[in-house]
Amino acid sequence: RPHHVRTLVRRQQGKHGGPGRSKAKQSNDDDGDSSDDEELNRKFGYFQPFHRPGRECKARSFRPDTMEPEECLYFPEFAVLKNPTLYLGLRNLILALWSKDCTVPLDVDGIMHHVLLRGMVRIRCRLEVGRILAFLIRRAFVNVGFVESVAPSLPQVGIANRPKQPPYPRWTSPTGAPPSVLVVGAGPAGLSAAYHLQQMGITAKVLEARDRTGGRVCDDRALGACVGRGAQIVNGCVNNPISTMCKQAGIPMRRLTGQCTLIDERGQRA
């Protein structure tokens, strides 16, 4: 059995007084969770889209064998099935492809290259791939960061009982002009929101009070080297959009350890 399944079984046996399980052993297993997580990060990187049984659920991760509540709202025809195998297989394929290479935007043709089916079933799968891809793009799970999204050409994804309702509101002016949004603040969140809105076909304008962009992220090169004056540490790297953009831009991330040298204003060690 896979390692995570064995771990889950051992924990369940210990919980119910199973054989060969002691309190000391349970404590040792719990202490090893952090080291196991570090090993996973080294093996799979900082993009881990699937939840591992027996582990704490990570943000922006999916259970590979279960539809999440939000998915059930958008795809009720699959949610009512006892085994929504088709949906889960296509969704997991899309997430796996994005996890493998987040520098190339996903599209229906590229995804269907990995679907080994022929005949009428393939036609059905192609339609569902378009719908699932549209959902994942509009929820910012794939095709995010420094890649061009293909969302405007994708089909709309509806909510239960409203099949023509897109997952974001449609705003129209009295004159029928295209929707537009004002984003306040040109920090990472504001710039990301504006970019994502534009990829959805919505006009976005960013308002910023400073004479620069970046918000709290500000670099100072007065000393001849790039020194961060604001945010420079990424907490919670797994499935973090910042980690994705660093990989897309080819910017390495250095893991901080217990020893972190502090530099004072004179450039000397504090």
Side-chain angles (χ1 to χ4, degrees):
R1 288 177 293 185
H3 170 72
H4 64 271
V5 176
R6 294 198 302 268
T7 303
L8 181 60
V9 171
R10 288 200 304 268
R11 290 180 177 176
Q12 292 296 329
Q13 290 176 345
K15 181 178 180 181
H16 299 287
R21 182 67 176 179
S22 64
K23 293 183 178 180
K25 180 63 176 178
Q26 182 176 2
S27 176
N28 292 336
D29 285 351
D30 293 340
D31 293 340
D33 286 349
S34 59
S35 60
D36 291 344
D37 289 340
E38 293 178 3
E39 180 64 26
L40 287 176
N41 294 343
R42 285 192 292 267
K43 184 176 181 180
F44 298 106
Y46 290 128
F47 187 66
Q48 301 172 23
F50 301 115
H51 170 59
R52 295 174 60 85
R55 297 290 179 184
E56 182 180 356
C57 186
K58 299 182 183 298
R60 301 174 62 79
S61 63
F62 290 80
R63 291 171 291 178
D65 58 347
T66 306
M67 293 182 66
E68 302 297 339
E70 188 175 16
E71 295 178 292
C72 294
L73 290 176
Y74 283 84
F75 300 95
E77 68 277 18
F78 289 109
V80 297
L81 300 178
K82 184 177 180 180
N83 295 312
T85 307
L86 176 61
Y87 176 85
L88 293 174
L90 296 177
R91 179 254 270 168
N92 293 345
L93 172 63
I94 296 173
L95 292 173
L97 291 175
W98 178 248
S99 174
K100 182 178 180 181
D101 186 3
C102 64
T103 62
V104 179
L106 297 175
D107 58 20
V108 176
D109 291 334
I111 296 171
M112 288 303 298
H113 179 72
H114 299 272
V115 179
L116 304 181
L117 291 172
R118 300 176 63 181
M120 298 299 295
V121 178
R122 185 175 181 84
I123 297 176
R124 167 72 188 281
C125 286
R126 184 180 181 87
L127 294 175
E128 298 302 337
V129 164
R131 298 178 62 225
I132 299 172
L133 179 60
F135 167 77
L136 294 175
I137 289 177
R138 293 189 175 106
R139 302 307 297 165
F141 286 105
V142 301
N143 285 11
V144 295
F146 303 134
V147 297
E148 285 192 23
S149 175
V150 292
S153 62
L154 292 174
Q156 299 293 339
V157 182
I159 301 178
N161 300 325
R162 289 182 293 170
K164 296 183 179 180
Q165 175 71 21
Y168 55 86
R170 286 286 191 181
W171 294 291
T172 56
S173 66
T175 61
S180 61
V181 176
L182 284 178
V183 179
V184 180
L191 294 176
S192 177
Y195 179 78
H196 198 63
L197 286 169
Q198 288 182 342
Q199 296 301 310
M200 298 300 104
I202 299 175
T203 302
K205 295 183 179 180
V206 181
L207 303 180
E208 173 56 54
R210 296 189 180 98
D211 58 353
R212 62 172 179 82
T213 61
R216 289 178 293 172
V217 180
C218 178
D219 294 334
D220 189 341
R221 300 180 181 273
L223 299 178
C226 181
V227 178
R229 297 179 58 185
Q232 51 189 306
I233 298 177
V234 179
N235 293 318
C237 297
V238 175
N239 296 340
N240 192 316
I242 299 297
S243 302
T244 300
M245 289 187 287
C246 286
K247 184 175 182 180
Q248 292 169 337
I251 301 175
M253 298 178 64
R254 183 170 63 89
R255 182 176 177 272
L256 293 180
T257 61
Q259 181 178 2
C260 182
T261 302
L262 299 179
I263 306 299
D264 61 19
E265 58 186 5
R266 299 170 297 175
Q268 303 296 326
R269 288 190 177 186

